[in-house]
Amino acid sequence: MDGLHIAQEHASLSLDDTAVEALVRGMLTHESRVLDYLGIVLTDRVTLCGLNKKYRSGDYDTDVLSFPLGDGKAIDGEIYVSLDYAAEHCTEFGASFEEEALRYVAHGLLHLMGYDDRDEEERLRMRRMEGVYLDACRNLLRRHQRA
């Protein structure tokens, strides 16, 4: 997918690029958005903590950070995902490692699309949307595997 750049920067964990691309493609299509540039960096806890502290003044562990690089209708930004966080918290949410990490990608992309989770109602809305997009991604990948 032109404009999508996935960087696997974790020493021992990774996420299937095909699944990430399917999720992003499905979300962009459903939201009627075009992609200018989207960098998705799949990394470790230390990197995310450093970015959180430097850019968000947060000195704590986090799952995903998104950084908009543009201000138009086209998606232009970066998403950083902590694969460590996904590995540690997936069973807590009854998900596989891949499902949890993809949820973080979806969450970050929703933020780049303008969605927010500052209050409980918005958090629940984003959580529902993440679930819908993850289900659609799973179904698409199953069909692709059978073909």
Side-chain angles (χ1 to χ4, degrees):
M1 172 184 272
D2 287 341
L4 176 62
H5 302 277
I6 302 168
Q8 302 276 353
E9 294 188 0
H10 195 285
S12 61
L13 296 171
S14 64
L15 196 55
D16 179 33
D17 287 357
T18 304
V20 175
E21 184 175 334
L23 175 64
V24 169
R25 185 185 308 275
M27 290 178 70
L28 292 172
T29 299
H30 188 267
E31 296 281 332
S32 300
R33 302 297 292 268
V34 293
L35 180 64
D36 183 18
Y37 167 78
L38 178 60
I40 299 176
V41 181
L42 305 169
T43 191
D44 57 46
R45 164 184 286 108
V46 172
T47 300
L48 244 66
C49 283
L51 290 169
N52 198 22
K53 188 172 187 175
K54 183 175 182 177
Y55 294 105
R56 303 287 164 89
S57 301
D59 192 11
Y60 54 87
D61 197 16
T62 191
D63 52 0
V64 61
L65 292 171
S66 56
F67 297 96
L69 301 175
D71 57 3
K73 184 167 174 79
I75 299 300
D76 187 11
E78 294 181 339
I79 300 169
Y80 291 79
V81 173
S82 172
L83 297 182
D84 293 324
Y85 200 95
E88 292 170 9
H89 294 276
C90 61
T91 56
E92 177 182 332
F93 300 111
S96 69
F97 162 74
E98 184 176 59
E99 289 171 331
E100 191 66 13
L102 286 171
R103 180 175 298 280
Y104 303 163
V105 172
H107 188 86
L109 185 51
L110 286 170
H111 277 302
L112 292 178
M113 291 178 176
Y115 292 91
D116 213 335
D117 55 2
R118 291 189 183 148
D119 64 38
E120 187 62 23
E121 185 177 324
E122 291 172 336
R123 269 190 293 283
L124 290 173
R125 179 176 182 223
M126 282 184 75
R127 189 72 174 172
R128 281 190 300 271
M129 292 174 75
E130 292 163 15
V132 167
Y133 290 130
L134 287 172
D135 287 344
C137 177
R138 268 189 231 99
N139 292 335
L140 179 68
L141 289 171
R142 278 190 209 116
R143 284 193 301 268
H144 177 67
Q145 289 169 347
R146 281 187 244 139

